[in-house]
Amino acid sequence: MEDPTLKPDVRPITPEDLAARKKRNLWLGLALAGFVILVMITTIVRLATGTGISGRM
Amino acid sequence: MTELTATTPAKRPATAADYVNLMKPRIMMLVVFTAVAGLAAASGITGVTMHPAMAAIAVLAVALGSGAAGAINMWYDADIDAIMSRTATRPIPSGAVPKEEALTMGLIMSGVSVMLMWLASNWLAAALLAMSIAYYGWFYTMVLKRRTAQNIVIGGAAGAFPPVIGWAAVTGNTPLDAWILFAIIFFWTPPHFWALSLLAHKEYAKVSVPMLPVTHGTKATRLQIILYTVVLVAVSLAPLATGLGGWIYGAVATLLGLVFLAFSVALLRSKAGDDGAPGADMKLARNTFLFSILYLFALFGAVLVEHAAGLHFPVIGA
């Protein structure tokens, strides 16, 4: 017998759902890009100042 | 144990504001402010400076860590949040954000924040940040909150870490001064939160969360508020003895400490939180709660002003 709790959610996707998903994906993309930029900045600063490089403070 | 019942909320598309609210932005503001104060004090006292970009990233890491812990807390507490009217409109119980999404967001942000802190400063600050996230997200939320009336006292340590993290980010160690800043927030949390719980203890009783007014009554809570305020005011003067706080800090801590004590005495004499308490008494509890926020901002604001603006004139050892 089929388990009713395993039935997939068949609610149709509304335009509002799609718009919200698009916006969410955009923010996720921006957050990811932001993270990459921040890592890049810390790397540049560490290389420029020598902080954290063996033998230098 | 009370049976927890809440209706399943109707799903609605989440907005950016829902994800921001998931991170508890008001707590985040206080966390960031105290971390910045710790960072400034460390530089002012030791003379060690941090690259401005690295300092900004370290502060961002603290903010992300605070948001991560908030999201994990909301994930775990979604069942009781749905029942309490104060929290029923939060992103998960309102049906905007799925529970699993909040947990995922919290865990990813935890990892990102700790990694950023390590890259921007050092392993000690990163470890302290990781510990504070775990302390709030796991120890307070999952272990203490629903088990003991001391949840706020012990759990308060989670919110006390930010100035220590800020200090460690600059110097790579945590001297006595950093722990004094920790102690100020630690002893501030109980009177701050219990003033609020005098207003909302029936809500906590409804979901069987053993907040002090629920387990020991409102009178005992009002007494505990004044006892903790006395200790807090004493601890708040410790920076004057070590040289961390100067004349500005001393004036702010003394003056606002006396006002906080006056609020606590008035609260003790009131019937705030009792059944049928006069409106004025409930207003007093609310004002004590609001004043406590101003108190902490002013205290750490004084530390910040003294050390970041070069206005630090020590009371002792000048």
Side-chain angles (χ1 to χ4, degrees):
Chain A
M1 197 168 145
E2 197 183 342
D3 183 351
T5 59
L6 294 178
K7 274 188 179 169
D9 184 4
V10 289
R11 191 175 63 90
I13 296 173
T14 64
E16 289 80 25
D17 287 338
L18 279 175
R21 186 190 290 176
K22 197 175 167 187
K23 213 183 244 180
R24 203 157 51 231
N25 287 344
L26 181 71
W27 279 109
L28 277 173
L30 286 173
L32 200 59
F35 177 68
V36 171
I37 291 168
L38 289 175
V39 172
M40 193 182 76
I41 292 171
T42 58
T43 309
I44 291 170
V45 172
R46 276 179 183 270
L47 287 173
T49 60
T51 318
I53 297 170
S54 183
R56 297 171 75 177
M57 279 300 284
Chain B
M1 195 78 178
T2 309
E3 184 78 20
L4 299 182
T5 50
T7 51
T8 308
K11 210 178 164 204
R12 64 170 175 87
T15 62
D18 288 315
Y19 288 96
V20 172
N21 287 333
L22 209 55
M23 293 187 271
K24 299 196 172 185
R26 276 183 289 188
I27 292 179
M28 192 194 281
M29 270 168 55
L30 207 61
V31 163
V32 166
F33 191 71
T34 54
V36 170
L39 206 134
S43 284
I45 293 290
T46 63
V48 178
T49 54
M50 206 175 169
H51 191 285
M54 297 297 230
I57 294 171
V59 171
L60 177 71
V62 171
L64 286 176
S66 164
I72 294 170
N73 171 274
M74 285 218 196
W75 161 74
Y76 191 80
D77 278 348
D79 57 340
I80 58 174
D81 281 352
I83 297 165
M84 296 193 287
S85 54
R86 190 174 69 87
T87 52
T89 55
R90 283 180 173 176
I92 300 174
S94 68
V97 177
K99 266 187 84 172
E100 307 71 35
E101 212 170 293
L103 177 63
T104 309
M105 180 176 145
L107 292 176
I108 291 175
M109 277 175 58
S110 299
V112 167
S113 65
V114 172
M115 194 191 292
L116 279 178
M117 179 59 89
W118 197 347
L119 289 171
S121 59
N122 52 65
W123 71 267
L124 179 64
L128 285 167
L129 180 60
M131 199 172 78
S132 68
I133 295 169
Y135 200 102
Y136 185 76
W138 168 71
F139 190 52
Y140 168 71
T141 303
M142 300 180 203
V143 179
L144 295 173
K145 188 173 175 179
R146 303 187 193 198
R147 279 201 177 92
T148 167
Q150 292 299 307
N151 48 15
I152 288 303
V153 177
I154 310 167
F161 274 111
V164 184
I165 297 169
W167 197 297
V170 177
T171 63
N173 59 20
T174 55
L176 177 65
D177 279 336
W179 292 107
I180 288 174
L181 296 177
F182 174 96
I184 290 172
I185 304 176
F186 182 79
F187 287 108
W188 166 85
T189 306
H192 161 74
F193 197 84
W194 285 335
L196 174 71
S197 71
L198 283 175
L199 299 165
H201 65 92
K202 282 181 183 150
E203 293 263 284
Y204 287 116
K206 214 159 67 178
V207 292
S208 301
V209 171
M211 287 299 170
L212 195 62
V214 177
T215 57
H216 292 72
T218 50
K219 196 176 174 187
T221 305
R222 294 193 296 266
L223 180 66
Q224 290 291 318
I225 286 175
I226 193 164
L227 292 177
Y228 271 92
T229 308
V230 169
V231 178
L232 167 66
V233 172
V235 170
S236 76
L237 299 176
L240 302 178
T242 63
L244 170 65
W247 282 101
I248 297 172
Y249 175 87
V252 171
T254 307
L255 191 70
L256 296 190
L258 288 173
V259 178
F260 204 166
L261 280 172
F263 266 111
S264 305
V265 171
L267 210 51
L268 184 65
R269 291 167 142 181
S270 77
K271 293 190 180 304
D274 290 356
D275 283 331
D281 286 356
M282 296 309 277
K283 200 175 169 189
L284 178 65
R286 184 172 169 73
N287 287 343
T288 306
F289 170 73
L290 293 174
F291 176 79
S292 68
I293 298 171
L294 171 77
Y295 174 83
L296 198 73
F297 264 111
L299 231 56
F300 280 81
V303 171
L304 189 59
V305 163
E306 284 193 342
H307 294 284
L311 295 169
H312 181 242
F313 306 107
V315 178
I316 295 171

